[in-house]
Amino acid sequence: MISIKKSISAQIAEIMKKINADAQIDGDAVCAMLEYPPDEKMGDLALPCFKLSKVLRMAPVKIAATIAESFSADCVARAEAVNGYFNIYLDGAYLAKSVVSGVREKGERYGAPEDMGKGKTVVLDYSSPNVAKPFHIGHLGTTVIGHSLKRLHEFAGYKCVGINYLGDWGTQFGKLIVAYHKWGNAETVENGGVDALVELYVKINNAIADDPALADEARAEFRKLEDGDEENIKLWKWFVEISLAEYQKTYKQLGIEFDSYKGESFYTDKMPAQVQKLRDMGLLKIDDGASIVDLEPYGMTPCLILKRDGSTLYPTRDIAAAVYRKETYDFDKMIYVTSAGQSLHFAQWFKVVELMGYEWFDKLVHVPYGTVSINGAKLATRTGNVLLLRDLFAESIAKVEAIMQEKNPDLPDRDKVSEAVGVGAIVFYYLSNNRIRDINFMMEDALSFEGNTGPYVQYTYARTCSVLAKSPDYDKNAEFVITSADETSLLKTLSRFEEVVREAIAAYEPSIVTRYILDVAGAYNRFYHNCSILGAENEAVKNTRLALTEAANTVLGNAFGLICLAKTEKI
Ligand code: ARG
C-alpha cells in the first residue's frame, strides 16, 4: 500500500501546486494526511481537505472538487469529492497484481520495512528472571513482548542482540545457601531442580519472618560469596545452572533463543569504575551514609548508588552494564522490557547516565507493561503462591489436546500441534492487549476456537494451507479477475502489512501486529465464506482466488513470526 499511496500522493501534490504554487505541499506531506476511512463505502483511501484550506487559500469542498476533476491513476477505479473529502476507490485487479507480485517476490520478507534498520544495531534486554525465584506468569510480559520486539526489529533489518540479564546475583543467594545447609542436600536439589530451589527459597523467607537473625546469616553467606569463597561459589554456579536449564524449556516452547546470558553477576567488577567516575564528577552525595545521585532538579527521588555498607545496588549494576554494552555492541538503541513498576528505576538511571556525560543516553528506551492477574487473582512472589509459566503452558496444552481429540481425532502429530496451539493461545491472548494495560488472564477465553484468539487465527492459517494443498499447480501467470468486494477488502488488508510493522516498531507495541492478524483472519474468512474458491465460476476467478489465498498465507505466516506464534499447517 505504501507505493500506491505514494504515487497517489505525488499526483495530488502536483494538482495542489496548480491551485497555489506557493503552498509547498509535497507528496510526502499528502501521503501522511491520507486516511483509511472507517467505512469502506467512503472509499479505500481518503484525503480530508480541511487542514489544507488555510495554506491553499481555498474552501475544503472546493479543494476536494478540484482534485477530483483532474485526478486519474491506474491503481484507482473511481474517485470523488464528498463534503470536503477526496475519496479514492482502488482498482481490485491492480491491487491484486501489486500484492500478489510483492508476496511472490519477497516471500518471507514481504511486509519488511527494508530501509528502517539497515546498518543499525539494537540491543534488547528482556525476560531476565531472577535465579532460584519462580519463573512465573509475571515474566510472560517481558519474555514475549521482548522477543516480539526483537523479531520486529530483525524483520526491519536491524542487527539485534537479545540479552537475558539473569538476576544471578544478590542476597537471595545468601538466603538460598543458608536454606540449603539447613534443609537441603545434593540429591533432592539434583532431582527436584528449580522446584526444590524455590521450595528452599520460600521456606527460608518464611523462617526469616519468624527469626530475623537468619537474615544476618544469609547476608554473611552472601558476603562470603562476594569474597570468592570456593564452596559458596560452587553452590551459586550450580543453582544458576539448574535454574537456567528449567527456563530454557520454556524458551524452547516459545521458540526463543538469546544471544547472551550475561547476568547481573557479570558486572560486579565493572561497577567500581563507574562509581569512581560519578565521584570524580562530583555527582555523588552522601545521604545518611549511603551514596546517591540527587535527582530533585529533575523531579525524581535520588538514584541510589551505594548502600551504607558500601555494597552496590540495582541501578549501579544497570549503569555499568549499559556502559559495557555500548562498548561491546555500539548499539543505536537499547531496549529494556520490564513491568511498569520499574519505570522510575529506569528514568532515574537513564538520567544519571546523561549526567555522566555519556552522549548515548538518549538511545536507551524503557518499554513498560502492565500487571497480570489470573482469573481475577493477583500474584504474590515471595510466598510461593504463584502460577509458574511452565504450569500455565502445560494446562493450556492439555486443554487443547482434549479439544483436538474430540474435534479431529485423526490429526497426525497431535501432541506437536497441541503444544503449538496451547502455547500460542496464551501468547496471542497476552499480546492482544495494549501492553501498558493491566490484564486479567481468563484461560477459557484464551483457548476458545471462536472469537479473537490464537486458536482462531492459527486455524485460519491452517485453512489457507489446506486450500492451497488442494490445488498446488494453479496457473500463476493468469490475469487477475476481481468480482467481489470481499476480495478487494482482503487485498487492502494484506497490502497494509508493512505500514503495520512500522507502526508497531515505532510504538514498541506488538499488539498492533496481533490486531492486524485478526483483521487479516477476519477478511480471509469473510472471503472464504462468500467466495467459492475451488468451485469458482471460471478458471480466471479461481486462479485469482487461489493467488489471494497464497498471499494471505504468506502474510499470516510472516506476522505470526513477529509475535512468537507457531505456524500450524493442520489443526
Ligand atoms: N531481573 C529483573 C526482575 O526480574 C529484571 C531485569 C530487567 N533488566 C534490567 N537491566 N534491569 O525484576
Side-chain angles (χ1 to χ4, degrees):
M1 190 63 94
I2 294 180
S3 62
I4 291 179
K5 273 168 100 177
K6 278 195 176 150
S7 89
I8 291 175
S9 307
Q11 203 189 131
I12 295 179
E14 282 306 311
I15 300 172
M16 287 184 184
K17 241 184 233 160
K18 286 187 198 135
I19 298 178
N20 183 344
D22 303 330
Q24 292 193 343
I25 299 169
D26 62 5
D28 288 347
V30 176
C31 197
M33 293 170 74
L34 281 180
E35 291 174 353
Y36 292 110
D39 182 347
E40 289 186 351
K41 286 196 198 88
M42 299 188 288
D44 302 318
L45 288 169
L47 181 75
C49 298
F50 310 97
K51 279 196 217 144
L52 293 163
S53 167
K54 211 164 158 194
V55 264
L56 293 176
R57 297 177 183 285
M58 192 185 257
V61 173
K62 186 100 191 287
I63 297 173
T66 312
I67 298 171
E69 246 163 55
S70 51
F71 184 91
S72 99
D74 281 353
C75 57
V76 172
R78 165 166 88 81
E80 62 194 15
V82 180
N83 300 332
Y85 281 92
F86 177 57
N87 293 343
I88 299 161
Y89 300 81
L90 297 171
D91 182 71
Y94 185 98
L95 251 184
K97 211 166 139 191
S98 115
V99 170
V100 173
S101 65
V103 165
R104 287 190 183 144
E105 191 187 309
K106 301 219 172 106
E108 288 186 350
R109 304 272 311 142
Y110 181 75
E114 305 283 355
D115 54 310
M116 218 174 173
K118 217 169 153 205
K120 294 191 188 134
T121 298
V122 174
V123 171
L124 299 105
D125 174 317
Y126 64 101
S127 198
S128 312
N130 296 322
V131 170
K133 291 190 195 170
F135 192 30
H136 58 79
I137 173 119
H139 292 108
L140 183 62
T142 169
T143 306
V144 300
I145 294 170
H147 200 64
S148 242
L149 293 177
K150 184 175 182 218
R151 292 271 175 88
L152 277 160
H153 281 85
E154 275 168 351
F155 197 50
Y158 290 90
K159 179 172 176 259
C160 293
V161 185
I163 299 181
N164 194 327
Y165 181 64
L166 284 177
D168 62 358
W169 203 243
T171 43
Q172 81 252 35
F173 289 98
K175 288 184 189 172
L176 210 54
I177 291 169
V178 172
Y180 178 73
H181 289 317
K182 261 176 116 56
W183 304 296
N185 61 58
E187 208 189 325
T188 49
V189 172
E190 202 62 72
N191 295 335
V194 79
D195 290 344
L197 293 183
V198 170
E199 204 176 297
L200 288 174
Y201 187 68
V202 170
K203 212 164 167 179
I204 188 78
N205 273 313
N206 290 336
I208 285 174
D210 294 335
D211 177 8
L214 276 175
D216 295 332
E217 243 178 79
R219 262 192 292 276
E221 289 297 351
F222 180 60
R223 176 72 355 154
K224 264 168 71 186
L225 177 62
E226 283 190 303
D227 293 342
D229 176 84
E230 222 170 280
E231 172 65 18
N232 279 11
I233 293 263
K234 221 167 84 194
L235 280 175
W236 164 72
K237 278 202 175 136
W238 184 44
F239 296 156
V240 173
E241 232 168 70
I242 288 174
S243 307
L244 199 52
E246 174 76 21
Y247 305 150
Q248 252 145 1
K249 287 185 205 156
T250 302
Y251 293 141
K252 195 157 169 241
Q253 284 183 312
L254 287 163
I256 294 182
E257 274 170 28
F258 289 91
D259 304 296
S260 160
Y261 281 95
K262 283 198 169 70
E264 296 194 26
S265 66
F266 179 78
Y267 297 99
T268 305
D269 64 356
K270 310 210 164 24
M271 284 182 284
Q274 300 311 316
V275 175
Q276 193 54 45
K277 183 171 159 75
L278 281 165
R279 200 173 281 127
D280 292 347
M281 292 180 79
L283 287 165
L284 280 192
K285 258 192 187 169
I286 305 298
D287 183 50
D288 198 17
S291 302
I292 61 158
V293 177
D294 178 21
L295 296 176
E296 210 186 336
Y298 313 100
M300 286 183 277
T301 48
C303 184
L304 306 178
I305 301 295
L306 296 175
K307 282 196 229 167
R308 253 211 287 210
D309 63 4
S311 58
T312 54
L313 285 134
Y314 191 40
T316 329
R317 218 169 280 280
D318 259 325
I319 293 167
V323 173
Y324 173 86
R325 291 170 184 175
K326 182 66 194 168
E327 282 164 5
T328 309
Y329 304 111
D330 193 24
F331 54 75
D332 295 278
K333 196 155 73 169
M334 176 146 67
I335 296 169
Y336 296 85
V337 186
T338 78
S339 75
Q342 298 197 29
S343 292
L344 177 62
H345 161 74
F346 283 95
Q348 286 174 322
W349 77 259
F350 285 1
K351 186 46 112 182
V352 172
V353 165
E354 179 183 351
L355 295 173
M356 290 171 89
Y358 289 117
E359 81 290 356
W360 41 268
F361 73 92
D362 58 351
K363 297 187 157 69
L364 305 174
V365 183
H366 179 228
V367 176
Y369 59 86
T371 61
V372 183
S373 47
I374 307 249
N375 296 334
K378 284 261 176 210
L379 301 159
T381 26
R382 288 235 171 142
T383 54
N385 168 29
V386 294
L387 180 55
L388 300 184
L389 221 43
R390 175 192 70 194
D391 298 341
L392 179 70
F393 285 149
E395 190 185 336
S396 173
I397 293 167
K399 287 200 165 138
V400 169
E401 179 116 38
I403 298 172
M404 296 281 196
Q405 199 145 15
E406 202 187 296
K407 282 198 172 174
N408 193 355
D410 303 324
L411 182 73
D413 279 335
R414 196 172 54 220
D415 39 341
K416 260 209 189 125
V417 179
S418 302
E419 180 165 17
V421 176
V423 172
I426 289 171
V427 169
F428 195 88
Y429 185 81
Y430 182 78
L431 290 180
S432 298
N433 246 276
N434 207 316
R435 64 175 156 74
I436 204 66
R437 292 227 324 251
D438 293 344
I439 169 165
N440 178 21
F441 207 102
M442 303 299 270
M443 194 67 149
E444 291 302 315
D445 293 352
L447 287 180
S448 165
F449 273 68
E450 280 134 41
N452 298 335
T453 63
Y456 160 72
V457 299
Q458 283 177 316
Y459 186 78
T460 305
Y461 179 79
R463 168 172 279 167
T464 62
C465 292
S466 97
V467 170
L468 293 171
K470 282 186 195 130
S471 199
D473 309 313
Y474 75 96
D475 182 0
K476 297 197 177 182
N477 297 313
E479 286 289 313
F480 296 111
V481 179
I482 299 292
T483 55
S484 147
D486 291 312
E487 294 164 329
T488 317
S489 175
L490 171 62
L491 282 163
K492 267 186 338 203
T493 310
L494 297 176
S495 71
R496 266 179 33 223
F497 188 27
E498 184 183 332
E499 283 164 82
V500 168
V501 172
R502 284 178 188 274
E503 240 182 86
I505 292 175
Y508 304 101
E509 186 63 87
S511 70
I512 292 177
V513 178
T514 314
R515 275 196 294 275
Y516 174 70
I517 289 175
L518 288 170
D519 286 349
V520 175
Y524 185 78
N525 285 322
R526 269 190 304 281
F527 156 78
Y528 179 87
H529 288 298
N530 296 337
C531 306
S532 171
I533 301 173
L534 298 172
E537 53 261 43
N538 60 48
E539 279 301 301
V541 174
K542 178 175 152 186
N543 283 324
T544 302
R545 290 181 180 167
L546 283 164
L548 260 58
T549 299
E550 189 190 324
N553 174 273
T554 301
V555 170
L556 283 175
N558 291 0
F560 283 12
L562 298 177
I563 58 159
C564 321
L565 193 65
K567 294 196 265 185
T568 42
E569 266 148 44
K570 286 205 171 93
I571 286 194

